[in-house]
Amino acid sequence: MGVGGLRIRAWFLAGALVIGLSLLVYCTHWSVSHLSSPWQQSVEAAVDSTGSGMQKIFDDDTRKQFAPAVDGVELSVKGSLLRKKVQRELSQPVRSSISCGNTTNQMVSAQMDGDMTVPSMFIPQSKNPCWWNKTRGSTGPQLCCLPYFLLAGVSKCGSTDIFSRLSGHPQVVPPKEKEPRWFDWRRHDTGKYPFNWYVSNFAQASWQISRDIGNFAMSNKVVGDGSPTYFWRNFHWDEYRGNEGCTEPRVVIPDAIQQILPQAKIIISFRNPIHSIYSKYLSRADLGAYRSPEHFHAAVKKDIVLYQDCLARFSVRSCAYNITLSEGAQVRLEKGLYAIFLADWFRVFPRKQVHIIRFEDYITDIAGHLQRMFEFLDLDAMTDSGLHDLAAFPALNTGKHYNTGHMLPATQQLLMQFYAVFNSQLASLLEDKRFLWLP
């Protein structure tokens, strides 16, 4: 080979080496930043201590479509690009758009342990889902029951008050614990809370229903589960069978509930997410955390930047279910992304099995809402006086620490613009403009 050929070959090898090294650096940077959670890394760079600095996390072409800055934070969710992205993704069937995971439907039963397994069918003598279970050493079968209805959400949207008043109906038996939180938390706690632990939470209802069957051959009593985190808190979805290798879940909590309780009646209360997350923020003062409107404002700004970063790079749904992002944030912004989570519930349960409440309307007409919920649960109508007395009880678990101060107007504007596109999608899902929460 001549000198010219050797020179060309040398240049070619050198060029290939440069390209190879560039690809290696790029891929290493992407994989490390992706796996080590860029959300946490970018917080301090995103907003400085004065609130005026901001990391450039969007390219210039995308940035042009976003809203003007508000107090140092540019609100991407006002832009038409992200609005279209949210609407497009939520309009797609969830499972058909996710190509990962095992297609098995046995994602729940494989995780059961203890002396009890999920029943394949329930007895017809009870309105409530119950079955006869015989354990080792027992003299005879024992009636076991699961909840007939679940007040699945949302926390800080009046769930404690609603559940308490529902339990005041003569046919509703209160559970041992209002919020067992078995589906979203306790069943994942290394075997400490097996299926029989969950069933034991409804032991009083089981006893009363068993007595009714013995006396009248039929029981119309029911029991509920009032865990308001079921609606949105899927912090263990990466452990579910069916989500193997997924960056966003195919299988979520409503799938687990539906597998055990296909006829369950679901009640969900929504509140303007702005007020819901502020109420949650203030409640943390009970644990000694410092709270102030200014501190909340700074936390909201930082967390909005985290979600902007995520939404610009990944699917809307993957950001809503991103465990690392949620744990790294200071406020639960994802809790207010109602439309994303509700789409999953509607995918699993027929609309007729889901009853939606708007908290702002509930507190102005408690009696009317209770009556509609009793009808939804197929319970006997209460007398007017009984319903009035039930509605007149003092409100439970009202917001605390509001003497800390009202939310700053600038914070409210930030949150209104952040949630606008998601509230719009929620109003579309429910065909009800009240869920826009317009000022």
Side-chain angles (χ1 to χ4, degrees):
M1 183 180 293
V3 174
L6 289 173
R7 184 177 296 135
I8 292 172
R9 185 176 181 183
W11 277 105
F12 175 79
L13 291 172
L17 179 62
V18 170
I19 293 173
L21 289 173
S22 299
L23 287 172
L24 177 62
V25 170
Y26 173 80
C27 292
T28 302
H29 170 74
W30 183 90
S31 61
V32 171
S33 63
H34 178 69
L35 293 175
S36 62
S37 178
W39 333 125
Q40 191 67 33
Q41 299 170 3
S42 66
V43 174
E44 297 305 323
V47 182
D48 64 18
S49 58
T50 64
S52 60
M54 178 174 172
Q55 179 189 30
K56 283 196 172 186
I57 55 178
F58 304 108
D59 58 54
D60 291 337
D61 290 337
T62 304
R63 189 180 295 277
K64 292 176 183 178
Q65 300 190 50
F66 293 161
V70 177
D71 197 17
V73 178
E74 295 183 9
L75 300 172
S76 64
V77 291
K78 277 197 73 179
S80 60
L81 182 67
L82 186 56
R83 182 178 298 274
K84 291 177 181 178
K85 180 178 181 179
V86 173
Q87 293 172 342
R88 181 179 67 252
E89 290 187 15
L90 290 182
S91 67
Q92 298 173 351
V94 173
R95 284 180 173 166
S96 66
S97 64
I98 302 175
S99 56
C100 65
N102 191 326
T103 58
T104 179
N105 290 322
Q106 299 301 315
M107 54 83 60
V108 178
S109 59
Q111 301 178 23
M112 302 303 178
D113 53 7
D115 295 329
M116 197 177 295
T117 57
V118 179
S120 58
M121 60 186 301
F122 301 113
I123 61 174
Q125 294 87 358
S126 172
K127 175 196 290 285
N128 197 89
C130 300
W131 74 103
W132 295 106
N133 185 69
K134 186 174 182 178
T135 58
R136 292 186 297 271
S138 63
T139 57
Q142 178 184 6
L143 191 70
C144 297
C145 298
L146 288 168
Y148 172 77
F149 70 92
L150 297 96
L151 204 171
V154 179
S155 46
K156 296 303 175 184
C157 298
S159 62
T160 299
D161 188 78
I162 294 170
F163 194 83
S164 176
R165 296 182 198 276
L166 287 176
S167 299
H169 190 284
Q171 291 175 307
V172 177
V173 183
K176 178 182 179 181
E177 192 174 337
K178 179 243 176 187
E179 299 182 20
R181 292 194 56 188
W182 189 74
F183 284 100
D184 73 314
W185 165 40
R186 282 188 163 129
R187 72 187 179 98
H188 305 284
D189 196 359
T190 60
K192 292 182 180 179
Y193 304 97
F195 183 56
N196 54 353
W197 177 89
Y198 183 58
V199 173
S200 70
N201 194 56
F202 314 107
Q204 178 64 22
S206 300
W207 180 80
Q208 291 194 30
I209 292 171
S210 177
R211 185 186 58 183
D212 285 353
I213 293 174
N215 293 335
F216 312 111
M218 179 66 191
S219 177
N220 288 318
K221 287 188 172 66
V222 299
V223 65
D225 178 337
S227 305
T229 49
Y230 290 164
F231 176 74
W232 65 276
R233 196 180 186 277
N234 282 265
F235 282 11
H236 294 274
W237 67 259
D238 55 341
E239 302 173 20
Y240 296 172
R241 291 180 62 183
N243 289 334
E244 297 86 352
C246 295
T247 57
E248 62 182 85
R250 293 180 67 257
V251 176
V252 284
I253 287 174
D255 292 285
I257 295 173
Q258 195 274 341
Q259 184 178 329
I260 301 176
L261 298 164
Q263 302 302 319
K265 292 181 178 290
I266 310 298
I267 299 175
I268 301 169
S269 175
F270 291 131
R271 179 185 185 184
N272 188 330
I274 296 174
H275 304 309
S276 176
I277 66 167
Y278 191 51
S279 178
K280 182 63 176 179
Y281 166 85
L282 293 177
S283 72
R284 304 298 291 179
D286 289 340
L287 302 178
Y290 173 74
R291 292 292 180 254
S292 73
E294 294 76 18
H295 180 266
F296 181 68
H297 182 74
V300 165
K301 288 197 299 181
K302 288 184 178 182
D303 288 356
I304 284 180
V305 171
L306 295 183
Y307 276 90
Q308 285 179 326
D309 187 8
C310 184
L311 292 168
R313 294 187 289 158
F314 304 109
S315 74
V316 176
R317 191 169 176 274
S318 68
C319 294
Y321 283 105
N322 188 296
I323 301 168
T324 306
L325 175 57
S326 178
E327 292 179 339
Q330 297 185 55
V331 294
R332 296 291 193 196
L333 289 180
E334 83 276 15
K335 186 170 76 74
L337 305 181
Y338 300 145
I340 296 176
F341 302 119
L342 186 61
D344 273 322
W345 285 85
F346 280 176
R347 170 180 57 82
V348 175
F349 287 98
R351 183 66 179 85
K352 65 180 180 180
Q353 286 180 230
V354 182
H355 183 78
I356 303 296
I357 300 169
R358 186 176 179 271
F359 172 76
E360 291 83 356
D361 297 331
Y362 167 78
I363 59 177
T364 62
D365 182 19
I366 294 176
H369 279 77
L370 286 175
Q371 185 174 13
R372 287 188 284 276
M373 280 187 279
F374 293 150
E375 292 173 357
F376 168 72
L377 295 175
D378 193 27
L379 302 176
D380 293 344
M382 294 185 67
T383 63
D384 290 342
S385 60
L387 190 63
H388 179 270
D389 291 344
L390 192 57
F393 289 159
L396 294 179
N397 199 27
T398 55
K400 299 178 180 180
H401 308 291
Y402 281 105
N403 58 344
T404 301
H406 294 293
M407 187 188 311
L408 298 178
T411 316
Q412 188 161 344
Q413 185 178 5
L414 281 171
L415 290 171
M416 284 175 60
Q417 295 188 30
F418 176 79
Y419 283 120
V421 64
F422 302 103
N423 291 346
S424 176
Q425 190 64 24
L426 177 67
S428 177
L429 276 173
L430 297 175
E431 299 181 343
D432 190 338
K433 292 182 178 180
R434 293 176 301 156
F435 291 93
L436 292 170
W437 284 291
L438 296 175

